[in-house]
Amino acid sequence: MKIDRLLAITILLINKEKVTAKELADNFEVSRRTIYRDVETLNKAGIPIVTTKGVDGGISILENYKMDKNIFKVEELETIIKALEGVRKILPDSDLENTLEKLKGFNTDLEDKEETFIIDYSPWGNDEELTEKVNLIKKAIKNNYLIEFSYLSNKNQRTSRKVEPLTIILKGHSWYIYGYCRLREDFRVFRISRIRDLTINKEKFIRKKGTPQECLDSNNITDKVKLVLKVDKEYIERSYEYFPRESFEILEGGSAIIRTEIWENEWLYDFLLGLGEYIEVIEPMRIRDIIKVKLEKILKKYF
DNA sequence: AGAGCTATTGCAACTGAAGC
DNA sequence: GCTTCAGTTGCAATAGCTCT
């Protein structure tokens, strides 16, 4: 409650020039005395809040601090709100709901404005199964409960896992669970869409300290590979969606060569196959061969 | 259940700035 | 100088939570 209010007061002061203790007290439904105590707490925490007595007085934040820190300007607040709204679709949560309402309360600009941009992390269509899984994992994380599930690896192998869940992660277009895997006796990241038969085991665990980012990075296995692709003329525009413009070299006939570096893994092969008939792997030959073998297997299924 | 802690509230007395 | 407005501070009381 108090932390919420302190954060909210800071955001409000950054976005407003001056506000009286009475206004703050009314806004947060607390007494003026409480607001003064909050101001004192914020000052102790190093946030330079200044107060002016008398007529036209009030509470404000040092202008230099606004400039230096450059945090939570109205536009940034709008981005945060949009991002939280996007997450809410897949991760309904009452705390999140409250935070959103409070943030929206400060950003009055947002109310009567047309949607300038939308951030939506939810999959196309209603993925109730994903939402259900995420909620179950969230409950387990909150209560330090062990979870059990069957997991399909990159190499298409299914294993039964007992995991101490620590964090839910959104990376790229996918949701992941980071935790300590008792089978592998180490920290692991699991893609939620590959999890089946998820159940909460009421066995409690003591949280171990791990770094999700390290795990996500090492998940890219092997080294980056230098990839050269040839893309047909009619597909160039669409390819800008996947590769930076500077990696394109337009050839005389209108087609293009793309030179890029990318992590090599199963995902890359599937991605290249997904680009279909318009893109051809030129280098390295090894990847070209892998794609060829995969295509032959596909062909066998159809002919 | 009771102690201890923290957050909050209400009240009162005070200080300082600005306007008349 | 008086008045008004708004910040400042201290104190007692209350409520809710946690720990023993």
Side-chain angles (χ1 to χ4, degrees), chain A residues 43-265:
Chain A
N43 270 323
K44 278 182 186 166
I47 298 171
I49 293 174
V50 286
T51 50
T52 324
K53 286 180 175 180
V55 180
D56 205 28
I59 302 166
S60 56
I61 204 159
L62 217 61
E63 195 59 33
N64 284 351
Y65 184 78
K66 292 186 195 180
M67 301 292 283
D68 290 349
K69 301 293 175 185
N70 194 27
I71 51 171
F72 295 146
K73 284 186 174 170
V74 172
E75 297 81 359
E76 290 160 336
L77 194 60
E78 193 178 325
T79 310
I80 293 169
I81 290 169
K82 289 291 180 190
L84 287 178
E85 277 178 334
V87 171
R88 183 175 58 172
K89 289 189 182 174
I90 195 77
L91 227 163
D93 180 288
S94 59
D95 291 342
L96 186 65
E97 199 81 30
N98 288 340
T99 310
L100 249 172
E101 284 313 308
K102 279 176 195 155
L103 289 175
K104 278 183 181 173
F106 302 131
N107 197 1
T108 46
D109 284 7
L110 210 64
E111 274 172 20
D112 302 316
K113 209 160 74 176
E114 293 283 322
E115 298 277 358
T116 46
F117 69 98
I118 292 171
I119 299 172
D120 191 347
Y121 298 116
S122 62
W124 292 103
N126 265 347
D127 194 339
E128 284 175 19
E129 196 193 333
L130 176 63
T131 308
E132 208 175 296
K133 274 193 262 186
V134 169
N135 277 330
L136 212 59
I137 295 164
K138 219 183 83 191
K139 187 180 163 193
I141 292 173
K142 197 175 176 185
N143 298 299
N144 291 348
Y145 286 145
L146 192 69
I147 53 170
E148 292 183 31
F149 54 83
S150 128
Y151 190 68
L152 188 70
S153 72
N154 274 346
K155 290 167 186 158
N156 221 22
Q157 287 166 339
R158 198 163 273 288
T159 44
S160 287
R161 306 284 183 131
K162 281 187 181 179
V163 170
E164 299 172 7
L166 298 172
T167 316
I168 293 171
I169 300 165
L170 174 70
K171 184 175 177 175
H173 298 288
S174 301
W175 290 82
Y176 299 84
I177 166 84
Y178 169 75
Y180 184 81
C181 174
R182 292 197 176 171
L183 180 72
R184 303 288 183 232
E185 293 182 336
D186 201 0
F187 294 97
R188 287 285 187 276
V189 170
F190 303 95
R191 197 168 169 150
I192 294 180
S193 59
R194 290 189 185 150
I195 288 175
R196 293 278 177 276
D197 308 320
L198 174 69
T199 53
I200 287 188
N201 180 327
K202 289 280 167 89
E203 183 189 327
K204 288 233 175 190
F205 65 88
I206 298 166
R207 286 178 77 94
K208 296 179 180 67
K209 285 221 165 181
T211 326
Q213 196 55 52
E214 273 177 19
C215 222
L216 280 169
D217 292 345
S218 66
N219 228 27
N220 287 317
I221 333 167
T222 68
D223 293 325
K224 274 187 172 176
V225 61
K226 282 187 179 166
L227 198 62
V228 181
L229 305 171
K230 188 177 178 195
V231 54
D232 291 354
K233 189 179 171 183
E234 57 267 44
Y235 202 73
I236 291 177
E237 278 301 318
R238 281 222 35 206
S239 303
Y240 289 141
E241 215 177 295
Y242 308 113
F243 306 99
R245 279 179 185 261
E246 56 269 26
S247 64
F248 284 72
E249 180 197 333
I250 307 294
L251 303 176
E252 270 184 25
S255 58
I257 291 288
I258 302 169
R259 289 188 175 79
T260 185
E261 274 194 46
I262 196 162
W263 297 104
E264 184 179 346
N265 51 28

